[in-house]
Amino acid sequence: MDVEQLTGELYGLRPSEFTAARDAYVAEARRAKDTAAAKAIAALRRPPLAVWAANLLARERPQEAERFLALGEALREAHQSLDGERLREAVGQRHQLVAALARTTAGLAEEAGQPLSDPVQREVEQILHAVLAHPDAAGPWSAGRLATAPEAAVDFTAVTPPAPPKPPAGRRPKELARARAAAQEARTTATRHERQHDTARKAHQTAKAAAEKAADRLRRAEHDLEEARRAAAAAEHAASEADTGLRSAERAMGEARAAAEEAEAEVRRQERDD
């Protein structure tokens, strides 16, 4: 048995489906006398719901996962080099990206038939933060095979970046005003994109629900049409049978009348002879 392939398949299942599918593969491996495969598959553990959702994100959005891991590399490099400006910029990107990916994950989970509660969505965010902080978790996550949540991020995410050098006193108010304006514009832009994303997600959910209802109505209409066709065919057959019976009855009636007339004529002849 291909344990790698089966592992990927199992971690793609919803948590409620994992255990039964794993045990079935273990039984199959044992029947095939593949002891090593049976042992390896039996050792796989069902991922918690938040871990499954994080795996789903990596599976369904591999390019976004790749960009996310690249951000983790930038964070580690900035931390190691004590580059305060780069670290502040990367940390800001991390918070925005984690929040956006958590919302994407919630949408993917709902499409997969497994909606996430608010606490589980927060767990997903914590898992994504931890993936950035721990390189050893990045590989299993990007392959969609995390079994448990990584340890909480406690390294570079907890480090306060060095303060930027103070600008000359004469320029500080003007630059500070520009920085505040830029920060406000960035927050406004982020809020606008978040709202657009939420609107698009809700529109997608509405359209999906409408499509499912329309498909259901179509299936019912097709079923009713097929029933009507069968009923029409049966009625046509019955009408044909009745038409055949009517013609047979008309022939029998004609023959009976002829026989009656002949019998009456014979009676009249015998009466005249007498």
Side-chain angles (χ1 to χ4, degrees):
M1 299 181 71
D2 190 334
V3 175
E4 282 296 312
Q5 179 180 347
L6 293 180
T7 300
E9 177 184 334
L10 287 170
Y11 281 109
L13 299 175
R14 290 184 293 181
S16 60
E17 304 167 332
F18 181 92
T19 302
R22 180 200 60 195
D23 293 349
Y25 282 131
V26 170
E28 182 179 344
R30 288 171 177 167
R31 286 196 297 271
K33 307 299 183 182
D34 192 341
T35 305
K39 184 176 180 180
I41 297 170
L44 299 176
R45 291 294 171 261
R46 183 183 69 177
L49 181 56
V51 175
W52 168 82
N55 285 335
L56 179 65
L57 173 66
R59 288 171 177 273
E60 296 295 325
R61 297 288 190 272
Q63 293 180 345
E64 295 181 31
E66 184 177 352
R67 289 194 294 270
F68 184 62
L69 294 179
L71 175 61
E73 289 292 333
L75 278 165
R76 283 186 287 275
E77 290 174 5
H79 177 62
Q80 291 169 1
S81 64
L82 297 179
D83 188 332
E85 183 177 352
R86 284 181 58 199
L87 186 56
R88 279 189 298 277
E89 180 181 354
V91 168
Q93 292 177 359
R94 180 199 69 189
H95 285 297
Q96 293 180 4
L97 188 54
V98 166
L101 290 179
R103 290 192 296 271
T104 299
T105 302
L108 292 172
E110 187 165 359
E111 291 175 6
Q114 185 68 65
L116 305 181
S117 64
D118 289 342
V120 173
Q121 290 187 49
R122 287 192 290 272
E123 289 181 40
V124 171
E125 292 186 9
Q126 293 171 1
I127 290 170
L128 294 178
H129 281 300
V131 165
L132 285 185
H134 303 296
D136 56 343
W141 174 72
S142 63
R145 297 185 182 184
L146 270 182
T148 59
E151 292 183 7
V154 293
D155 45 11
F156 63 77
T157 59
V159 175
T160 301
K166 294 183 178 181
R171 298 174 56 190
R172 180 177 177 80
K174 193 173 185 178
E175 291 182 358
L176 182 58
R178 282 202 300 267
R180 285 174 175 169
Q184 180 61 42
E185 182 179 357
R187 284 194 295 270
T188 302
T189 300
T191 300
R192 183 174 66 252
H193 285 304
E194 289 177 359
R195 289 174 179 171
Q196 291 174 348
H197 176 272
D198 290 340
T199 300
R201 182 168 61 85
K202 290 177 181 177
H204 173 266
Q205 292 172 349
T206 301
K208 182 179 179 182
E212 290 175 351
K213 289 181 180 178
D216 186 56
R217 289 196 299 270
L218 177 60
R219 286 192 294 269
R220 289 199 300 268
E222 289 175 344
H223 177 268
D224 292 343
L225 177 60
E226 183 60 28
E227 288 290 325
R229 284 175 175 167
R230 284 198 290 267
E236 289 178 359
H237 179 72
S240 176
E241 291 281 335
D243 186 60
T244 301
L246 177 60
R247 287 194 295 270
S248 296
E250 288 176 345
R251 285 196 299 272
M253 183 178 66
E255 292 173 357
R257 285 177 177 173
E261 291 175 354
E262 183 177 350
E264 290 175 355
E266 178 62 25
V267 169
R268 287 194 295 271
R269 283 197 298 272
Q270 290 184 9
E271 287 177 345
R272 285 196 301 268
D273 291 343
D274 292 341

